Amino acid sequence: MKEFFRRRKTSFTTGGQSEGNPVPDDMWVKCSACRELVYKKELTDNLKVCPKCGHHMRMSAHEWIGLLDAGSFSEMDTNLLPTDPLGFVSLGESYAEKLAKSQQRTGMPDAILSGVGMIGGRHLALAVGDFAFMGASMGSVYGEKLSRAAERAADLGIPLLTINTSGGARQQEGVIALMQMAKVTMALTRLAEVGQPHIALMVDPCYGGVTASYPSVADVIIAEPGANIGFAGKRLIEQIMRQKLPAGFQTAEFMLDHGMIDMVVERNQLPATIGRLIRLYGTRRDPSERRDPVEQMISAITYP
Amino acid sequence: MDETTNPTEAQELTPWDRVQMARHPQRPHTLDYIAALCEDFTEFHGDRRFGDDPAIVGGLAAFAAHTVMVIGHQKGSDTRENMKRNFGMSHPEGYRKAQRLMRQAEKFGIPVICFVDTPAADPKKESEERGQGNAIAESILVMTNLRVPIIAAVIGEGGSGGALALSVADRILMQENAIFSVAPPEATASILWHDSAKAPDAARALKLTAQDLYQLRIIDEVVSEPVGGAHQNPQEAITILGARLRANLDTISQIEIPTLLKQRYQKYRVIGHYREA
């Protein structure tokens, strides 16, 4: 078990794969929201939130590790690799080619990074998706790593933080991908049994089978300002269902207004917010002690 | 699919043929199965929060020696009924009604039978506003640890999360011409190849037939249909599925609940294909 907590060096780099158009000299980045040029170092220091307009740019899974206490993260289950279980016959690029390209681009074996780390000096299990890897689509590796993260958190008696950004289930793995929604939800029941919380952070964009499974039933759901979150994509609703959508539809603020999430939190406030939650959940009485034995409860009943 | 399909040709049905059969309007739907197989069906309505969704039906019924909670997606057999039923595409309140009925089944120790037949969850603006993602997620969660036996029967289209929301079960049966897919093949073709007309190719690639899914160990049993498909002889299709439902229900009703829940956990926990380097 100690093995889980051994610190491994994880480098925190700004990947070129995520949002923000590079401009020639690579020192400056153009914000995709306000189109202003931002000094790259300043942007990195600001957790990729545009200092000019506050736009929260997308982060790679490795960049998200920056939320944890410095040097506290140990990555796990790095040996799980994707396969092509259906022998998916694609009319375009093959599944294997797509995987190889994404692996090269992100340096990750699949769309999710998981392990154990700390926030505010308290342990937690972490699983974080990387949108640059096939839209962080949920396939077998995603489902297995997340399930192991949940079970590990349950075994260790620590909270689970999931950082979710996804286009949905991975088409190339068919129903096997769809079933990962049930599998991960199943694994999370173990965490519930030991009375540890699942905190879900939803970041831009989060859609389909991921929105329709584990993050939406987390104990606490946090979203970043302006993040697009929904089940059906906007294009589908507009073009196939022919409905006009109001401005701000499916944003984090829209989700908050409709009662679907607990809070919208700016990126620089996330460590403090999550740290506070873990502290609050962590200092309550053990749930197994909370209930008195039935006999005591019965004898305590008084009748007028 | 033309109407003259004979048994020898049936051997060579393409996945796209199966998609057409799964969607055939004359195929028996949930209420047809309930009417023929159950007695005393008493339909319940509403999610107690927003409204009643005609795209999902449910209620108590007597089936064989059991009282069961039957729940299913409901498609229409003609345009008028399909408009009413939203083509079997459930809204959040439909899933929430299903959750309510499942919780009630748990309360009274009544097994749950789900009939799965939906192209997908309703993808409209209003469903988003009312939390379609949350509704499906809650349904999945309820089914993961519901303390009564659950059997799901895919009787037509098992489309995406909308279908999964009624098919986390101890046993999944699937009729031989039913389909179960991560997304409707048109959507997969559109997502991957930007051309929904390539749906027949997607249908092949997705391995969405009962035969494929049995081999992939996603479903537990392929249930045969009358010659030419369930729409050719609905009564026979209903009788065959009814017998398999009864047999499976008799079996899993014997299993102690803690064991059943452990088996359910394991059943889903092992789904997935990956390499360990």
Side-chain angles (χ1 to χ4, degrees):
Chain A
M1 195 101 89
K2 267 193 190 125
E3 170 74 13
F4 289 150
F5 291 102
R6 209 185 52 212
R7 290 177 190 191
R8 226 166 289 158
K9 218 175 138 109
T10 312
S11 56
F12 173 54
T13 53
T14 310
Q17 73 273 19
S18 44
E19 210 180 333
N21 307 326
V23 284
D25 69 3
D26 217 32
M27 297 279 284
W28 299 83
V29 177
K30 193 185 247 181
C31 172
S32 58
C34 68
R35 321 299 299 168
E36 293 276 337
L37 284 179
V38 183
Y39 188 43
K40 198 170 176 179
K41 168 87 169 51
E42 194 184 355
L43 192 63
T44 309
D45 292 346
N46 206 28
L47 295 165
K48 295 190 82 176
V49 176
C50 174
K52 305 264 166 69
C53 73
H55 174 59
H56 285 54
M57 297 186 188
R58 289 180 190 168
M59 300 226 282
S60 71
H62 281 100
E63 284 169 340
W64 277 111
I65 301 305
L67 279 196
L68 304 182
D69 295 354
S72 71
F73 183 65
S74 302
E75 190 180 349
M76 283 163 197
D77 300 322
T78 51
N79 61 331
L80 302 189
L81 307 174
T83 63
D84 181 7
L86 305 185
F88 194 84
V89 182
S90 178
L91 300 183
E93 213 173 10
S94 76
Y95 184 30
E97 284 164 355
K98 272 205 156 83
L99 285 171
K101 270 192 187 168
S102 293
Q103 286 164 343
Q104 207 173 13
R105 186 162 59 231
T106 61
M108 295 171 61
D110 207 311
I112 193 166
L113 181 71
S114 64
V116 177
M118 287 187 192
I119 288 184
R122 287 175 184 261
H123 288 289
L124 79 169
L126 173 78
V128 47
D130 196 315
F131 198 77
F133 196 110
M134 294 183 71
S137 49
M138 177 159 56
S140 295
V141 171
Y142 190 120
E144 181 66 20
K145 284 176 100 163
L146 199 44
S147 298
R148 289 189 188 188
E151 289 174 334
R152 182 175 299 127
D155 289 346
L156 297 174
I158 58 177
L160 172 70
L161 171 65
T162 60
I163 303 179
N164 308 285
T165 169
S166 179
R170 185 169 292 170
Q171 301 294 311
Q172 291 89 344
E173 294 192 23
V175 169
I176 296 169
L178 184 74
M179 291 292 164
Q180 302 306 306
M181 295 164 68
K183 166 170 159 170
V184 172
T185 307
M186 209 50 100
L188 280 162
T189 60
R190 286 267 301 273
L191 190 66
E193 277 166 22
V194 301
Q196 286 295 334
H198 167 210
I199 300 170
L201 171 62
M202 296 173 95
V203 301
D204 186 69
C206 195
Y207 278 91
V210 169
T211 297
S213 61
Y214 65 93
S216 289
V217 288
D219 298 295
V220 187
I221 309 176
I222 305 171
E224 287 199 315
N228 287 284
I229 302 164
F231 173 64
K234 281 181 215 173
R235 203 168 306 151
L236 170 70
I237 305 173
E238 284 174 331
Q239 294 176 4
I240 310 288
M241 296 290 126
R242 297 173 188 278
Q243 289 182 299
K244 244 181 104 84
L245 298 176
F249 182 73
Q250 288 184 335
T251 56
E253 294 75 15
F254 169 97
M255 295 294 278
L256 185 69
D257 282 348
H258 286 83
M260 298 304 154
I261 62 173
D262 290 288
M263 57 190 106
V264 177
V265 178
E266 290 187 12
R267 193 171 289 162
N268 64 5
Q269 292 303 311
L270 285 170
T273 306
I274 295 164
R276 185 169 71 244
L277 285 167
I278 296 175
R279 207 163 58 238
L280 287 167
Y281 283 114
T283 46
R284 78 208 190 289
R285 287 179 64 189
D286 185 323
S288 60
E289 295 171 9
R290 208 182 308 145
R291 207 175 296 156
D292 295 326
V294 175
E295 287 78 3
Q296 270 182 44
M297 285 165 67
I298 292 171
S299 65
I301 298 173
T302 55
Y303 298 95
Chain B
M1 258 325 289
D2 69 290
E3 299 291 306
T4 56
T5 306
N6 66 43
T8 48
E9 279 171 355
Q11 305 291 318
E12 291 143 41
L13 288 174
T14 65
W16 186 243
D17 292 333
R18 305 260 192 207
V19 172
Q20 301 314 306
M21 289 176 84
R23 292 173 175 171
H24 199 288
Q26 298 315 310
R27 203 177 165 83
H29 297 132
T30 295
L31 287 173
D32 300 317
Y33 284 94
I34 295 174
L37 295 174
C38 301
E39 282 171 26
D40 294 338
F41 173 58
T42 307
E43 188 176 352
F44 296 154
H45 294 276
D47 69 345
R48 304 291 189 271
R49 282 164 173 76
F50 178 81
D52 184 48
D53 186 357
I56 285 187
V57 295
L60 282 179
F63 173 66
H66 309 264
T67 293
V68 292
M69 186 67 84
V70 282
I71 302 170
H73 303 100
Q74 181 64 36
K75 286 186 179 180
S77 303
D78 54 42
T79 309
R80 205 174 60 86
E81 201 196 347
N82 258 323
M83 295 299 283
K84 176 185 165 191
R85 303 285 183 188
N86 198 33
F87 300 85
M89 296 189 291
S90 179
H91 304 89
E93 49 275 21
Y95 299 117
R96 291 179 181 132
K97 170 167 66 179
Q99 291 155 28
R100 183 174 74 81
L101 300 190
M102 287 180 202
R103 285 287 180 223
Q104 191 189 123
E106 181 179 56
K107 176 179 171 184
F108 294 106
I110 294 168
V112 174
I113 296 178
C114 290
F115 292 100
V116 178
D117 190 14
T118 182
D122 179 71
K124 286 199 289 291
K125 172 174 163 271
E126 293 75 16
S127 288
E128 292 292 314
E129 289 167 345
R130 298 199 290 274
Q132 189 66 290
N134 165 269
I136 295 169
E138 290 278 357
S139 282
I140 295 169
L141 179 61
V142 166
M143 297 181 92
T144 55
N145 55 11
L146 198 75
R147 299 178 64 79
V148 287
I150 309 173
I151 301 178
V154 187
I155 56 169
E157 275 183 283
S160 81
L164 184 64
L166 288 190
S167 45
V168 181
D170 300 302
R171 295 285 186 279
I172 306 180
L173 317 185
M174 199 167 158
Q175 287 180 318
E176 63 171 298
N177 296 311
I179 59 164
F180 199 169
S181 181
V182 64
E186 289 84 352
T188 300
S190 173
I191 293 166
L192 295 181
W193 310 316
H194 310 288
D195 184 0
S196 58
K198 300 272 165 49
D201 297 295
R204 179 171 283 109
L206 284 166
K207 299 279 196 298
L208 47 62
T209 68
Q211 298 72 23
D212 285 333
L213 293 171
Y214 182 74
Q215 280 185 0
L216 287 166
R217 297 182 173 193
I218 298 291
I219 62 162
D220 298 285
E221 199 174 313
V222 181
V223 178
S224 60
E225 292 182 25
V227 174
H231 61 283
Q232 297 284 11
N233 189 343
Q235 194 47 56
E236 194 185 335
I238 291 168
T239 305
I240 298 169
L241 180 61
R244 294 315 304 152
L245 284 172
R246 188 170 303 132
N248 277 281
L249 186 57
D250 287 342
T251 310
I252 60 172
S253 299
Q254 303 300 314
I255 304 171
E256 297 284 337
I257 295 298
T259 310
L260 192 71
L261 290 180
K262 266 185 213 143
Q263 290 174 356
R264 195 185 300 160
Y265 189 97
Q266 204 54 27
K267 176 181 171 63
Y268 284 87
R269 186 62 187 82
V270 300
I271 297 177
H273 292 249
Y274 50 85
R275 227 154 31 86
E276 289 192 73

